[in-house]
Amino acid sequence: MLSRRRGLQLEAFGSILIVTVMLADRFLFTLQDGFVLAAAIVSAIFLTIGIRVVKRADEQAQQNTKQ
């Protein structure tokens, strides 16, 4: 199982990925729409997994403190 720290890292990676791609597309050079869409999908996957991992880790920590 993934740790809370790994979940936070996945969230950060997803956020940085999409921001980097969007800024590069806007200011540096024009990227193909398919590449931007693929990056957005990959970013959303990493963000979703990261959020779920952090949520699960927080729930387990809360259960452990109740016991």
Side-chain angles (χ1 to χ4, degrees), residues 22 29 53:
M22 297 303 285
F29 45 86
V53 168

Side-chain angles (χ1 to χ4, degrees), residues 44-55:
I45 291 169
F46 278 107
L47 284 166
T48 302
I49 292 170
I51 290 168
R52 288 183 180 183
V53 168
V54 169
K55 183 177 178 181

Side-chain angles (χ1 to χ4, degrees), residues 18-66:
I18 195 61
V19 168
T20 302
V21 169
M22 297 303 285
L23 289 174
D25 184 53
R26 174 73 170 114
F27 295 110
L28 298 178
F29 45 86
T30 303
L31 300 173
Q32 292 182 355
D33 289 340
F35 178 78
V36 175
L37 178 62
I41 291 169
V42 170
S43 176
I45 291 169
F46 278 107
L47 284 166
T48 302
I49 292 170
I51 290 168
R52 288 183 180 183
V53 168
V54 169
K55 183 177 178 181
R56 188 175 302 129
D58 287 345
E59 288 172 354
Q60 286 179 350
Q62 209 172 37
Q63 287 177 355
N64 290 341
T65 58
K66 288 181 180 180

